[in-house]
Amino acid sequence: MSKSSATATSSPSATAAVVRPQDFADSPVHYAVAIGDHFSLNRLLSSLPKLPDPTLIHTESESLAQERIAEQISAAIDGRDNRLRETPLHLAVRLNDAAAARALAAAGANISLQNAAGWNPLQEALLRRCPEIVAPLVQHHHLAAWSKWRRRLPRLVAGLRRMRDFYMEISFHFESSIVPFVGKIAPSDTYKIWKRDGNLRADTSLAGYDGLKIQRANQSFLFLNDFNYSNSIDSDIPRGSLLILNHDEKKIYDAFENAGNPLSDTDVSNFCNQTSVYRPGMDVTKAELIGRTNWRRQEKTENVGEWKARVYEMHNVLFTFRSRKVNAADNRDDPFSPTCVLPLEIDEESDEGFIVAENPRFSVSNDRQQRRHSSFVRDDREFVTVSRKSVDIIPVDSRRGKPRCGGDRLVAPPATKEKEYAKSLRPMVWLTDKFPLKTEELMPLLDILVNKVKAVRRMREILTTTFPPGTFPVKVAIPVVPTVRVVITFTKFVELQPIENFYTPLSSPREFVNEESTSGGGDESGYFSFSSSWLRGGSSRGGKPTDPFAIPSGYLLSSFDEKNRKLKKSKSSRKTK
């Protein structure tokens, strides 16, 4: 039985935290950020090795060598051995140190790492409304994700080539023993996956949702590495490409379109305008398998497809959904707004030895009687006579070489509202030792599809659980609400026989289905079914085997930018009607 709880907290800006540099004495990079010593920070970062252009990495050995360099860099600048589990980049964001944040990001700091509260530096900067930090972090995060993928690509391809060639079907649907017809209303789909050499193909018919309406589209994801150039389109496709084929429109999209290019100013601006961040996750680190028994108190077994599997219940699985939102009351002076002008104030009573520019929203001073003067006010301006010390920005020679601000610093947290929903789950899992694949063999395949197929993403989280050696989860049931659960099942696995050559495919994948259905041997319920001739190494029209990895003729290359423009145009036309 699952338990759920929801909590809501608020982070008032009046409560300030103290950053003590001595708490980070064991980490040189942390300490340099804590005291604001940019010279020492840049010296430490310049001593780190540099990663080469990821497009120049072609072999598995080169990929492993570059991964070791990346781990060396991460060990130096991504440490989280402190109370708040903050990386140096987290600390730079908390101190609103834009120069340190840019230097760390350029050196290869991991922007995806989370602190003890579960948020990464980019999310923290967004909630603190730091535009001079958010914009460069967004760009670095975008480019770093592409570089990491390119570095890993040779290893993923090598792992695919070591696997046996197969055709596999994975189905997912919702079911309930109480709610009627939930399987008819809720989304469902069957993923059909082909793997041959370094190529991978996944067919799906679920495209997304439009409100409560399920959007369907016959589409294929093609991950291509080993293929023969059979037409002009193939010759323009680089190896390691992930293509999306829309069979209804006969169009081809590049899933990695613009992935290696910097984001446009519009994309960065749209991201900066967000006022909320979310973090869903499923924690299986403490999961425990408990075997189910039947009424005879014997271990419960069931047949899943052609495999006999034992039924287990997973305990200590926690699903959490956390959200943080900027307080609307404090959003009037949002620095991301183009109409916002931040007042610059001078602290006359400062003893730090330099002029202090403060944003009153994040001021931690409780002295309301303290006099301040705005440099933006022209009328009734008061001129204040200040001492030499109060405008001495550059330290005197006796202090040269020491950190400019090495003392404790007060830092106000962002004014946000935080909500957390936690639910204890008990998924069911069916394990068998007869499945042809191992869990670790399936991971490279899922890593390729995880960013484009949402159901694969949840299944991968479950598969990170440590199962008994030699077993494979052929079926997983995850409760969504107490009476409804989503079921993911491996329904078919066929090992493909080696063939010498692939040939040009049919002009339309639907012709293959129509041909089989008219001959009485086809499966009309499944699109592009390979249940007969191709899987047995047979032939289609003219005695030639059909290549599922070749691009059908008549398909045109298209762009996501063009697709988005058409969607915006159609939405605007509907609004005007």
Side-chain angles (χ1 to χ4, degrees):
M1 188 172 181
S2 61
K3 298 180 180 179
S4 61
S5 62
T7 60
T9 60
S10 178
S11 301
S13 59
T15 304
V18 179
V19 176
R20 295 184 173 88
Q22 62 268 24
D23 295 340
F24 305 98
D26 295 335
S27 172
V29 180
H30 277 95
Y31 188 77
V33 174
I35 64 177
D37 188 355
H38 294 161
F39 176 79
S40 297
L41 177 64
N42 291 327
R43 180 173 52 82
L44 290 169
L45 298 179
S46 62
S47 64
L48 297 175
K50 306 296 182 184
L51 289 170
D53 185 354
T55 59
L56 302 178
I57 303 173
H58 302 293
T59 65
E60 185 179 11
S61 59
E62 293 175 347
S63 176
L64 291 172
Q66 296 306 314
E67 189 63 26
R68 287 191 290 268
I69 296 177
E71 291 175 356
Q72 183 180 350
I73 296 174
S74 180
I77 62 177
D78 288 330
R80 291 182 288 174
D81 190 14
N82 51 75
R83 181 175 59 86
L84 298 179
R85 290 189 57 78
E86 288 185 324
T87 65
L89 187 54
H90 276 107
L91 186 59
V93 170
R94 190 150 66 99
L95 296 174
N96 198 17
D97 192 339
R102 288 193 297 267
L104 288 166
N110 192 339
I111 303 177
S112 301
L113 293 180
Q114 299 173 352
N115 55 18
W119 306 107
N120 62 46
L122 181 55
Q123 292 170 329
E124 291 284 359
L126 185 64
L127 293 174
R128 290 178 179 273
R129 318 311 285 164
C130 305
E132 67 279 1
I133 296 181
V134 173
L137 288 191
V138 170
Q139 288 285 10
H140 280 291
H141 185 59
H142 171 72
L143 297 175
W146 172 247
S147 298
K148 184 177 180 180
W149 163 257
R150 293 296 305 182
R151 287 199 306 269
R152 294 185 59 198
L153 180 60
R155 281 180 291 153
L156 291 175
V157 174
L160 281 178
R161 288 171 179 160
R162 285 192 289 265
M163 294 173 61
R164 66 189 76 187
D165 296 335
F166 61 84
Y167 167 76
M168 179 170 61
E169 291 184 2
I170 305 174
S171 68
F172 89 92
H173 66 279
F174 288 83
E175 66 178 22
S176 174
S177 57
I178 299 178
V179 182
F181 307 113
V182 67
K184 301 290 184 181
I185 302 173
S188 61
D189 201 2
T190 298
Y191 297 105
K192 302 177 181 181
I193 300 175
W194 291 262
K195 182 270 166 187
R196 182 177 292 279
D197 298 328
N199 300 327
L200 187 67
R201 172 176 179 150
D203 287 2
T204 175
S205 62
L206 183 63
Y209 309 92
D210 184 7
L212 297 177
K213 185 179 179 181
I214 302 173
Q215 295 180 338
R216 296 284 180 179
N218 289 327
Q219 56 185 359
S220 300
F221 296 88
L222 289 181
F223 179 66
L224 300 177
N225 284 280
D226 305 324
F227 56 93
N228 295 321
Y229 297 114
S230 55
N231 54 44
S232 59
I233 294 181
D234 288 345
S235 60
D236 297 332
I237 299 173
R239 300 186 185 275
S241 297
L242 180 61
L243 305 180
I244 303 176
L245 274 65
N246 189 314
H247 301 293
D248 296 328
E249 302 175 356
K250 290 191 174 182
K251 289 186 177 180
I252 305 170
Y253 300 95
D254 184 2
F256 298 141
E257 181 182 353
N258 300 325
N261 300 326
L263 294 173
S264 65
D265 293 339
T266 303
D267 293 333
V268 175
S269 177
N270 291 337
F271 185 89
C272 292
N273 289 332
Q274 298 179 27
T275 58
S276 303
V277 293
Y278 306 94
R279 189 180 65 83
M282 187 177 296
D283 185 6
V284 295
T285 55
K286 300 180 181 179
E288 182 181 1
L289 291 177
I290 305 296
R292 297 291 298 271
T293 57
N294 55 21
W295 63 276
R296 294 181 177 179
R297 297 186 180 276
Q298 298 175 342
E299 64 179 33
K300 186 177 181 180
T301 59
E302 294 181 1
N303 289 327
V304 181
E306 56 188 272
W307 305 283
K308 187 176 182 179
R310 186 179 176 185
V311 186
Y312 290 87
E313 192 174 67
M314 295 179 64
H315 290 200
N316 303 325
V317 177
L318 185 66
F319 173 79
T320 59
F321 184 87
R322 301 184 64 183
S323 65
R324 289 176 71 186
K325 185 177 181 179
V326 177
N327 283 342
D330 296 322
N331 206 28
R332 292 172 298 178
D333 298 330
D334 193 341
F336 288 107
S337 173
T339 59
C340 173
V341 178
L342 290 181
L344 180 67
E345 298 191 348
I346 299 178
D347 186 358
E348 300 171 359
E349 304 297 328
S350 174
D351 292 326
E352 294 294 332
F354 52 89
I355 291 180
V356 179
E358 295 182 353
N359 182 344
R361 285 185 56 208
F362 301 110
S363 175
V364 296
S365 175
N366 294 323
D367 186 6
R368 297 296 182 185
Q369 303 300 324
Q370 186 173 345
R371 187 132 186 193
R372 301 186 182 277
H373 302 274
S374 173
S375 62
F376 290 102
V377 179
R378 294 184 178 273
D379 298 331
D380 299 328
R381 177 180 296 182
E382 297 183 20
F383 292 89
V384 182
T385 303
V386 295
S387 64
R388 170 64 180 169
K389 181 182 177 182
S390 62
V391 295
D392 197 350
I393 299 176
I394 304 175
V396 294
D397 294 341
S398 60
R399 297 177 58 188
R400 187 168 297 168
K402 293 184 179 181
R404 187 179 61 180
C405 40
D408 297 348
R409 301 164 70 178
L410 286 174
V411 180
T416 60
K417 291 182 179 179
E418 183 171 346
K419 294 182 180 180
E420 180 177 8
Y421 173 81
K423 183 177 181 180
S424 177
L425 303 179
R426 288 193 176 181
M428 303 286 293
V429 61
W430 285 253
L431 297 179
T432 181
D433 56 357
K434 304 298 183 182
F435 196 78
L437 288 182
K438 298 180 181 179
T439 306
E440 55 270 19
E441 290 179 322
L442 190 65
M443 285 302 181
L445 182 150
L446 300 180
D447 287 339
I448 297 171
L449 302 175
V450 69
N451 291 326
K452 295 298 177 182
V453 185
K454 293 182 179 179
V456 172
R457 191 180 313 166
R458 293 290 171 254
M459 181 175 63
R460 191 191 185 286
E461 292 177 349
I462 291 292
L463 292 181
T464 56
T465 306
T466 302
F467 295 112
T471 61
F472 187 90
V474 290
K475 184 178 178 180
V476 177
I478 306 174
V480 179
V481 294
T483 57
V484 180
R485 61 182 187 175
V486 59
V487 181
I488 303 172
T489 310
F490 290 79
T491 57
K492 183 181 293 186
F493 186 94
V494 179
E495 188 170 353
L496 301 182
Q497 301 299 321
I499 58 176
E500 295 181 359
N501 254 328
F502 282 148
Y503 296 88
T504 303
L506 303 174
S507 59
S508 172
R510 294 186 181 277
E511 295 182 14
F512 189 88
V513 179
N514 295 335
E515 181 181 320
E516 285 198 346
S517 60
T518 54
S519 62
D523 182 7
E524 296 180 357
S525 62
Y527 152 72
F528 202 19
S529 175
F530 278 76
S531 59
S532 56
S533 60
W534 191 87
L535 292 175
R536 294 196 304 266
S539 60
S540 59
R541 198 187 315 176
K544 294 183 179 180
T546 304
D547 178 11
F549 303 106
I551 297 176
S553 59
Y555 283 55
L556 300 176
L557 288 171
S558 187
S559 170
F560 283 118
D561 295 335
E562 178 184 354
K563 184 178 180 181
N564 293 334
R565 283 195 297 268
K566 290 183 179 179
L567 288 175
K568 290 180 180 179
K569 186 177 180 180
S570 62
K571 288 182 179 180
S572 61
S573 61
R574 278 184 288 179
K575 289 181 180 179
T576 55
K577 290 181 180 179

